[in-house]
Structure formats: C-alpha cells, structure tokens
Amino acid sequence: MLDKSASQPSTRTSGPLSGVRIVEFAGIGPGPFACMMLADMGAEVVTLDRVGAKKNLKSAAGRGRKVVELDLKDKSAIAQVLELLANADALIEGFRPGVMERLGLGPDVVQARNPRLVYARMTGWGQQGPLAQAAGHDINYISVTGALSAIGPRERPVPPLNLVGDFGGGALYLVVGVLAALLEAKKSGKGQVVDAAMCDGAASLMSMFFDMTAMGRWSEGREQNFLDGGAHFYGVYECSCGRFVSIGSIEPQFYALLRQHAGLSDAAFDHQMDRKAWPALRQKLVEVFKTKTRDEWCKIMENTDVCFAPVLTMEEAPKHPHNQARKTFVEIDGVVQPNVAPRFSRTESAVQGPPPEIGAHTTEALADWGLAKSEIDALKSAGAI
C-alpha cells in the first residue's frame, strides 16, 4: 500500500535544514524542484509569486512552503522584499541574467543589507557567455554538452525527458551549490553568488564518458558502447506481453547468471566483450525474451544477481513491492508523488505540507518573517500584495 500518512502532513519542521530560511522567486523547472528538496529537508521556504498567478496547486514541486503574492513592479513591495531577504539565509531565482538587477534586487543591493546571504541563480546558459541572454530549454542546454548526442538509438538522438538538464544538471547542482555556500558562510560570515547553469551541470554529468573517451573505451556514435544500448548484456528487451525488462549484466559473474537464468547455452555468448559480436547476440536475446511475459521473467530473474528489473510505467511504479516497502512514493491530497530523498538517520526529512493555495499565506508569511502589521496593511492598500 502507498504511504498515505503524508495526506495530512505534520506541521512540525523536521530535517537537517531545520532553521534555514530561503526566499524563492517563483519560476519553473529546476528552481521549484530544488526548493522542494530543500523544503523536504526542513528548510523554511517562502515563495514570492506575482499577484494573480495561476499555478497548479497539485504540483509536487510546490509542496512544503508558503507562497506570497506581490507586485515586484511596486517600489513598496520591493522594499518589503528587501526586508524579507534581510532575515534569509539564501535566495533562489531563475530569471534571465539582469532581471533581478532591474528590479533593484541584484546581489550587490541585497548582500549590502545581508552580507551572509547566499544568492543562488538558476539559468540554462549561465550568467555570462554568448548565449546568456538567449531563450532555451532543457533539450538545448544538453545539446551543447555532448549529452544529447550520446543518448538514443543509432538513427538519432532522443531527448531523455528533462532529467539531464533541468533536474540532474540544474536542480541538483543548484542544491549542492546552495548547501556548500551555506556551510562556507557559517565559517566566514559572508554569502556569495552561486551561478548554477544547466549546461554546466549537464557537462559535469558527462565526466565519466569524457574520461572513457580519453582512455579509448568509448566511441562516438550511439548504440556502439556498453552503456548506450550497444551491448547485448546492458539494455531493454520486449517480452511476449508487449512490456519490457531491463538487464545490466556487465560483470562476468552477473553475465554468467544471465546465461544461466535465460538458458543462453549457445557458445556465441562466450564472447561477452567482443563488440563485433554484439549485434548478433542482441538479436538472439531479443528472440529469447519474447518467449515469456514480463511477469514470468520477473519470477525467474528478480531478486537474483542478474542485474534485472521490470520496466515499470509511472502508474505501476508505486505498486512495486520494493517501492512500497521503502515508501518511495506517497499520496498527498489524492496525488501520488515521489517521497523525500535522500534519507537521514537522525534528522529525518519529511514532506512539510501540501502545495499551498496561491496567496493563502501572504499575510502569515510576511508576519512570520518580521514585517509589522502596519507595513502589511499598507501593501494591501496599495495593491502590492
């Protein structure tokens, strides 16, 4: 069964980042995902969104924080944002370079009031460079790093969802940068700007493949290497039911188990690392896996050292016994979503609350962060919040 304990999340703040205060300027993609992770780890995140913003209230990426609606074109609102930032540990924004400066909220201005503030900037191309002001999306940012070129079948590259740019190369590097800068600020008392660019992060994720290329162990071109679908012992195979399984039997002992459980007695399979033999061996495995259903292969290979797993849909994944045992997915307000990650033994992370209704916490959040009632009333009267 899914863990539904998060359907009524605790109001307590738990996690290793309890006590850390972060101001997020509302955006899309990696910024909100990074803030979701930080909130799951206990940080108090307040999101500043524009007045009248229409957001998906069921968004998992919006969980665990309070949202303040305000007009960033209003000078009185900007003044109060600066007050909020004076009490913050970190700021996270994902606008194009120069936007925050035009709003009067650039690093120089903000850090003059709060020298210890970590000022984190999430973009696709980075703060400088010929493409810094150009529009783009995940697919473009990973295109210039060599990542997209290496993913997909021989005929053409295939976009790997937006996992490599937005979330892997973007959000996760943003989180690492924020946490590192927060640690350093504790020692020095000084904040700094974190320039997190998806193209930089995606390039960093390619480090192992650049290493293998330099060592002559990786070839240009798709489906020619042992991790890109070229090898028969590392890939995805269709079963007789039309569903798929994955195998990753790289090491000799795991490959031997694959041969044993799949009945691969043909001597041709003796030549595991002969690249010239891979296409023919892959075709043989295509035929073998089509002799049984996915469930039948699971009974034969799951829980062995073949390095095997069924390829599950998003509907199926929460029902898998391993995911259920670890409570990898939770249900919040009727929405199934991934649970918190990573896990901590002592300062346990937790979903701190469901995605808020836009504007529901404006007065509460501003008061919690030190604004006087008279200041909040004045902003309301001016239509700035």
Side-chain angles (χ1 to χ4, degrees):
M1 295 292 290
L2 274 179
D3 178 19
K4 295 190 179 184
S5 60
S7 295
Q8 300 295 329
S10 170
T11 56
R12 68 182 175 87
T13 299
S14 60
L17 296 183
S18 179
V20 174
R21 285 186 150 190
I22 298 172
V23 174
E24 172 195 14
F25 287 79
I28 59 174
F33 185 84
C35 287
M36 179 199 76
M37 291 189 65
L38 295 166
D40 286 347
M41 289 187 275
E44 181 182 354
V45 181
V46 169
T47 302
L48 307 184
D49 209 341
R50 60 184 176 82
V51 175
K54 301 293 184 183
K55 292 290 167 59
N56 178 8
L57 302 184
K58 298 294 186 180
S59 167
R63 71 193 187 193
R65 55 236 207 221
K66 296 176 180 177
V67 178
V68 173
E69 284 187 301
L70 76 172
D71 182 2
L72 290 178
K73 296 179 181 179
D74 187 293
K75 290 184 179 180
S76 60
I78 293 296
Q80 298 310 319
V81 170
L82 288 169
E83 289 295 323
L84 290 179
L85 292 171
N87 296 313
D89 297 295
L91 172 160
I92 292 178
E93 63 95 359
F95 300 127
R96 289 198 204 191
V99 171
M100 289 290 280
E101 284 80 357
R102 290 195 292 274
L103 291 171
L105 296 169
D108 293 346
V109 173
V110 174
Q111 290 179 325
R113 296 173 63 102
N114 183 356
R116 64 181 177 80
L117 183 81
V118 172
Y119 195 111
R121 319 194 80 164
M122 182 75 256
T123 60
W125 302 114
Q127 296 299 308
Q128 297 87 27
L131 295 174
Q133 291 296 332
H137 276 298
D138 176 288
I139 193 170
N140 311 121
Y141 310 136
I142 69 174
S143 291
V144 300
T145 67
L148 183 58
S149 175
I151 299 171
R154 190 181 301 268
E155 295 76 23
R156 71 187 191 286
V158 172
L161 301 182
N162 54 336
L163 298 175
V164 177
D166 277 348
F167 302 122
L172 296 185
Y173 279 79
L174 177 63
V175 170
V176 169
V178 167
L179 296 180
L182 285 171
L183 279 174
E184 197 281 332
K186 278 194 171 184
K187 294 188 296 183
S188 67
K190 297 178 181 179
Q192 58 186 304
V193 175
V194 178
D195 177 2
M198 285 176 250
C199 59
D200 294 348
S204 178
L205 290 173
M206 289 292 290
S207 295
M208 184 180 80
F209 303 98
F210 276 88
D211 284 347
M212 288 195 291
T213 299
M215 293 185 288
R217 297 178 56 198
W218 192 267
S219 304
E220 289 282 2
R222 294 168 298 282
E223 292 190 332
Q224 296 185 34
N225 302 282
F226 72 99
L227 294 176
D228 66 356
H232 61 291
F233 52 83
Y234 193 94
V236 173
Y237 290 94
E238 186 176 4
C239 305
S240 63
C241 58
R243 297 178 178 179
F244 296 84
V245 295
S246 66
I247 59 168
S249 311
I250 300 174
E251 292 81 359
Q253 66 273 28
F254 303 150
Y255 184 69
L257 284 172
L258 170 65
R259 294 189 65 180
Q260 174 187 328
H261 289 291
L264 307 178
S265 58
D266 188 335
F269 285 99
D270 294 346
H271 307 288
Q272 180 187 1
M273 291 300 177
D274 181 356
R275 291 183 179 231
K276 293 180 180 178
W278 284 355
L281 293 177
R282 170 169 281 279
Q283 186 54 43
K284 288 177 182 289
L285 270 182
V286 166
E287 295 168 3
V288 167
F289 277 105
K290 281 190 175 180
T291 63
K292 300 182 188 299
T293 67
R294 189 183 69 180
D295 289 347
E296 289 173 327
W297 283 117
C298 284
K299 289 179 182 178
I300 294 170
M301 293 188 177
E302 206 164 22
N303 298 317
T304 74
D305 280 352
V306 167
C307 300
F308 164 94
V311 177
L312 302 179
T313 65
M314 286 188 287
E315 181 180 357
E316 293 173 317
K319 303 171 186 175
H320 190 277
H322 185 80
N323 292 332
Q324 289 187 338
R326 288 185 58 80
K327 298 181 180 178
T328 302
F329 295 89
V330 295
E331 185 176 314
I332 302 175
D333 290 346
V335 178
V336 176
Q337 56 196 266
N339 205 346
V340 298
R343 305 179 188 206
F344 299 88
S345 63
R346 184 171 53 81
T347 56
E348 184 179 356
S349 295
V351 175
Q352 306 295 335
E357 292 190 23
I358 303 302
H361 299 122
T362 297
T363 299
E364 176 188 344
L366 292 176
D368 285 349
W369 281 54
L371 268 67
K373 183 178 183 300
S374 59
E375 294 173 310
I376 297 172
D377 290 342
L379 290 171
K380 287 182 179 179
S381 298
I385 62 173

